[in-house]
């Protein structure tokens, strides 16, 4: 056989083998394809009937949440799963539709639910970057996902999403799909749909938005928690510019319209009764308490039945209270010892030049150290005694150079600073814009609370329970039980007036010691603030100077058990106010709300009017289903202390704000109708100021949640009073001064001091004839014989007649 013949046969065999292989491969592929088609058909047959009915989508009706308003109808809280404002498709402006299509799905009206070109484009981009940087979800796919499907990333879910996408496209028109998307997509801050988002972020109806605002809203769906302008304005702005560029390239905008939109300044604000940046008014503590009160009545039904709660709070007063508390806490933080940065990061050299990478790092930083109201988290790029450079984003770099600002953190900028305190590159700090300059200031650890109410009926006017509600909704106004210190002394004094003492009674201010045998526990040697003492003071002087020795002796004279019984009239809890002498120094426990209600009794002439927060509740139709019926001052059944006692205590407490520990009140507000009292507990754990006029009773507390010293020299007059003054400048701005009324019957005045002309039988501790300014409460040391000596006074001995009002110690 020739070589040519052999070669020909070999080629023929190879071709025959290749043909057989290709034939088998074709048969196998056809079989696999047929199997795939059969399996796909079977899966489709099984899955399609189980897809949800679209009637709920077409006839969608959102649940109506619980809404809470101030007395002047400003929305301060919503509780429920969603916040929505549903619009018809023809009510949505064309500019909003164009912005959404440009941002999310410009082929929406041309594809059948899946944009295959977009899928290819995204796949190519992801392959190029070796990362999942782009997706290809159409608007229809997002509607399917958001309405019916979970967010789990499984093949089964993706398969159902694909099928549901086709079903939606087969059942609804494109306009209906876009309408659903625009009304139900989540856009951050519990806003669902672009109409709700427009009101949430810009305080306006959707049909009033500008091109620039529409583009910013359209950029949010990509990442609602990070691209909304409240959470991160810089990222929202960057996304907005991208959307505007897409709108121009797609022909929705001319070059002039594009440039005008780019140049427009975006303002975040709220329309009346509409949240923006949270809410128009910072009433989080008010809203949460109102929710709890109504929940006790209706339970979970309150979240879907469209109830509206109208509180007694004034929106202007509430916002001023919030600002006053925040500013007071920041003032304390500035003067407190700087503890060091919040944290320290290992910041790679030059990372700030890689904007994408740096922004990703700063985004992660927000998870651990989120912005806190006006406090903005950032990372230090450079730090020295004369300048601190802080990055908020790759584009927002802030330099802190003001000497007042640098003084706050000076101990962290010196060369020999301790590592824990030193501010350096990579330090995490908070920035605060203080007027015309930036400062670095730590997130405060101290807390404060403010409550203001109307003495005539107890209506709460403003309530702030802490620095930042989102840090934990613990409401210090109603839930913090703290020692009131000297702010409690007026109630001890009031009890003594009804037992025969007068403002002119002379009382020893000398120190004393009780042994363990006398106390039945530990030795006790109370001291005056500053360790200053005087031989004798009138009761009025003792209150003005807030002398502990005087208060203790008054309580000893009246009797601890009588004092305990008496102060129950003011609404205090018996178990928290033990019948022991330290109670005279405010050693019991009260809440700021209790204390404000108690001082209101002085303000309104002796009537206990329990504080209340909810004025009325309406249902979704506006029908009133609950209406408050408050106790009103003047109702005889509400009187809890003698009118004469209230009158004299008002006179004393007004004196405290003129020439006593609260004299700053008169210096700054220059009103003669304000009464009040400072309070500071041992080691300055708590700082208080309680003050009132006939129109408003307000209490401010400052301290740490886990009690510790506020610092040497921190007092109620220095820490709490400034917050109270800041609030009252607003609350009393348009209120005329209320002149003191004439004394009630049974109250006379001798040499400028008041006294009762008569007492209920058996009430006076020691009294013969009319007291006079020369009356003296003698003694320098509390003795075991106090009971016997009081009995002698009551029995009519010669000693009693020589001193018409004598309680020896």
């Amino acid at each position: 056989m020739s070589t040519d013949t052999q070669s020909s046969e070999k080629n023929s065999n190879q071709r025959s083998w290749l043909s057989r292989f290709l034939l088998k491969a074709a048969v196998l592929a056809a079989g696999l394809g047929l199997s795939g088609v059969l399996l796909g058909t079977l899966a489709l047959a099984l899955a399609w009937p189980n897809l949800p009915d679209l009637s709920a989508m077409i006839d969608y009706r959102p649940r109506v949440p619980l809404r809470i308003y101030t007395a002047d109808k400003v929305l301060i809280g919503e509780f429920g799963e969603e916040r929505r404002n549903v619009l018809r498709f023809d009510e949505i402006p064309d500019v909003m539709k164009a912005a959404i299509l440009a941002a999310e799905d410009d082929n929406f009206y041309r594809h059948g639910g899946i944009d295959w070109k977009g899928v290819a484009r995204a796949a190519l981009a992801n392959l190029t970057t070796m990362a999942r940087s782009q997706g290809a979800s159409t608007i229809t796919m997002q509607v399917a996902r958001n309405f019916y499907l979970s967010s789990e990333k499984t093949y089964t879910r993706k398969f159902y999403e694909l099928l549901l996408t086709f079903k939606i496209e087969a059942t609804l028109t494109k306009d209906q799909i876009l309408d659903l998307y625009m009304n139900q997509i989540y856009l951050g801050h519990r806003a669902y749909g672009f109409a709700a988002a427009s009101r949430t972020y810009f305080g306006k109806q959707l049909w009033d938005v500008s091109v620039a605002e529409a583009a910013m809203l359209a950029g949010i769906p990509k990442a609602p928690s990070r691209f909304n302008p409240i959470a991160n304005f810089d990222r929202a702005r960057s996304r907005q510019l991208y959307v505007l560029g897409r709108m121009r390239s797609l022909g929705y905008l001319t070059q002039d319209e594009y440039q005008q939109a780019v140049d427009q300044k975006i303002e975040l604000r709220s329309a009346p009764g509409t949240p923006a940046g949270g809410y128009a008014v910072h009433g989080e503590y008010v809203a949460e308490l109102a929710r709890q009160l109504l929940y006790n009545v209706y339970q979970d039904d309150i979240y879907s039945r469209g109830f509206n709660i109208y509180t007694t709070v004034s929106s202007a007063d509430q916002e001023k209270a919030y600002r006053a508390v925040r500013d007071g806490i920041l003032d304390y933080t500035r003067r407190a010892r700087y503890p060091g940065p919040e944290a320290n990061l290992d910041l790679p050299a030059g990372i700030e030049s890689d904007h994408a990478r740096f922004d990703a790092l700063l985004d992660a930083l927000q998870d651990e150290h989120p912005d806190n109201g006006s406090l903005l988290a950032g990372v230090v790029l450079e730090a020295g005694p004369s300048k601190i450079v802080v990055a908020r984003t790759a584009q927002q770099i802030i330099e802190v150079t003001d000497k007042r600002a640098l003084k706050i953190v000076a101990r962290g900028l010196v060369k020999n600073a301790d590592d824990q305190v030193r501010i350096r590159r990579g330090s995490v700090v908070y920035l605060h814009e203080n007027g015309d300059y930036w400062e670095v200031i730590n997130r405060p650890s101290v807390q404060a609370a403010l409550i203001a109410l109307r003495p005539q009926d107890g209506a709460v006017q403003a309530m702030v329970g802490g620095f930042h509600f989102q840090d934990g909704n613990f409401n210090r106004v109603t839930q913090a039980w703290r020692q009131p210190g000297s702010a409690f002394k007026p109630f001890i004094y009031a009890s003594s007036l009804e037992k025969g003492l007068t403002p002119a009674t002379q009382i020893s201010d000398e120190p004393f010691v009780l042994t363990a045998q006398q106390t039945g526990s530990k030795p006790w040697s109370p001291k005056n603030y500053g360790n200053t003492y005087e031989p004798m003071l009138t009761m009025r002087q003792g209150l003005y100077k807030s002398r502990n020795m005087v208060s203790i002796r008054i309580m000893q004279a009246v009797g601890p058990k009588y004092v305990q019984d008496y102060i129950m009239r003011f609404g205090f809890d018996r178990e928290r106010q033990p019948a022991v002498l330290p109670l005279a120094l405010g050693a019991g426990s009260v809440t700021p709300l209790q204390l404000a209600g108690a001082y209101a009794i002085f303000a309104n002439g002796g009537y206990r009017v329990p504080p209340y927060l909810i004025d009325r509740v309406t249902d979704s139709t506006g029908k009133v289903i609950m209406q408050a019926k408050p106790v009103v001052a003047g109702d005889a059944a509400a009187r809890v202390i003698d009118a004469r006692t209230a009158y004299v205590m008002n006179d004393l407490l007004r004196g405290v704000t003129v020439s006593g520990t609260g004299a700053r009140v008169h210096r700054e507000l220059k009103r003669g109708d304000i009464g009040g009292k400072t309070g500071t507990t041992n080691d300055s754990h708590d700082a208080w100021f309680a003050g009132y006029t006939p129109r408003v009773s307000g209490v401010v507390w400052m301290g740490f949640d886990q009690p510790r010293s506020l610092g040497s020299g921190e007092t109620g007059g220095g820490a709490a009073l400034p917050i109270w003054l800041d609030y009252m400048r607003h609350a009393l701005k348009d209120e005329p001064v209320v002149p003191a009324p004439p004394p009630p019957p049974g109250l006379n005045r001798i040499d400028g001091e008041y006294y009762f002309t008569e007492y209920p039988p058996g009430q006076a501790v020691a009294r013969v004839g009319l007291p006079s300014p020369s009356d003296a409460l003698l003694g320098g040391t509390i003795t075991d014989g106090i009971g016997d000596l009081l009995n002698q006074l009551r029995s009519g001995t010669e000693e009693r007649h020589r001193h018409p009002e004598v309680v020896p110690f």
Side-chain angles (χ1 to χ4, degrees), residues 37 50 99 113 208 240 280 425 472 593 612 633 721 728 730 762 788:
V37 170
N50 293 321
D208 292 327
Q240 176 212 31
R425 179 178 171 83
L593 179 63
Y612 73 104
L721 177 55
M728 285 296 175
H730 161 82
D788 292 338

Side-chain angles (χ1 to χ4, degrees), residues 52-325:
D53 185 1
L54 299 188
S55 60
M57 179 183 289
I58 299 170
D59 299 327
Y60 177 71
R61 294 292 184 273
R63 300 177 68 186
V64 183
L66 167 69
R67 291 188 170 97
I68 301 171
Y69 298 87
T70 62
D72 47 335
K73 299 183 181 180
V74 175
L75 184 66
I76 56 173
E78 286 182 297
F79 295 91
E81 295 181 356
E82 53 199 38
R83 178 189 299 143
R84 297 181 187 262
N85 296 93
V86 178
L87 297 181
R88 297 190 311 273
F89 186 72
D90 59 0
E91 294 178 314
I92 300 171
D94 289 341
V95 67
M96 191 70 250
K97 298 171 186 174
I100 292 168
L101 293 175
E104 293 293 321
D105 190 356
D106 60 284
N107 286 320
F108 173 70
Y109 280 95
R110 293 188 292 273
H111 62 62
I114 298 177
D115 184 4
W116 297 109
K117 289 183 179 179
V119 171
R121 184 173 58 249
L124 181 61
N126 293 341
L127 201 60
T128 302
T129 60
M130 299 303 293
R132 194 180 183 280
S133 59
Q134 291 191 23
S137 289
T138 64
I139 285 176
T140 311
M141 293 169 70
Q142 292 183 56
V143 169
R145 183 185 312 132
N146 290 330
F147 251 98
Y148 291 114
L149 304 172
S150 71
S151 59
E152 60 178 341
K153 297 180 179 180
T154 64
Y155 289 112
T156 301
R157 189 201 68 80
K158 295 295 291 184
F159 178 66
Y160 270 91
E161 180 183 315
L162 187 67
L163 293 183
L164 186 55
T165 297
F166 287 138
K167 184 172 183 178
I168 292 172
E169 287 278 346
T171 307
L172 305 178
T173 68
K174 286 289 188 177
D175 285 353
Q176 286 178 312
I177 297 170
L178 185 58
D179 179 35
L180 287 169
Y181 175 83
M182 297 186 72
N183 275 307
Q184 62 88 30
I185 193 72
Y186 179 64
L187 295 165
H189 286 271
R190 290 190 296 114
Y192 288 80
F194 287 91
S198 176
R199 293 176 62 82
T200 297
Y201 299 118
F202 306 132
K204 59 174 65 175
Q205 301 293 348
L206 185 61
W207 49 79
D208 292 327
V209 297
S210 66
V211 173
E213 291 165 338
M216 184 163 282
L217 293 176
I220 296 175
K222 181 176 177 64
S225 64
R226 293 167 60 185
F227 286 166
N228 78 74
I230 292 173
N232 193 326
F233 186 85
D234 293 329
R235 297 300 295 274
R237 169 66 173 169
S238 176
R239 179 72 176 158
Q240 176 212 31
L241 293 176
Y242 163 78
V243 175
L244 288 172
R246 292 279 296 154
M247 293 176 73
R248 179 187 57 180
S249 65
L250 291 169
Y252 293 125
L253 298 177
T254 66
Q255 179 61 34
D256 289 343
E257 289 171 334
Y258 166 78
Q259 193 59 51
Q260 185 178 0
V262 168
D263 293 340
Q264 180 184 332
K265 181 180 179 182
I266 297 293
E267 294 184 7
L268 302 182
R269 60 183 183 274
S270 63
T274 304
Y279 292 90
V281 173
H282 290 85
E284 297 91 343
Y285 288 101
V286 174
E288 172 59 16
L289 181 56
R291 180 200 69 81
Q292 292 174 14
L293 293 172
L294 194 65
Y295 183 85
N296 291 335
V297 179
Y298 290 100
Q299 303 296 306
D300 288 332
D301 283 349
I302 66 174
Y303 302 123
S304 60
R305 292 176 57 180
F307 289 148
N308 300 291
I309 298 178
Y310 293 90
T311 67
T312 59
V313 166
S314 157
S315 62
D317 286 358
Q318 178 63 31
E319 187 62 15
K320 184 58 186 179
Y322 170 81
R323 300 295 175 190
V325 168

Side-chain angles (χ1 to χ4, degrees), residues 328 330-337 408 702 714-715 718-720 722:
L330 290 176
D331 281 344
Y332 171 85
T333 304
R334 290 185 186 99
R335 65 179 180 265
R337 186 177 176 84
I408 298 171
M702 181 181 283
E714 294 289 349
T715 64

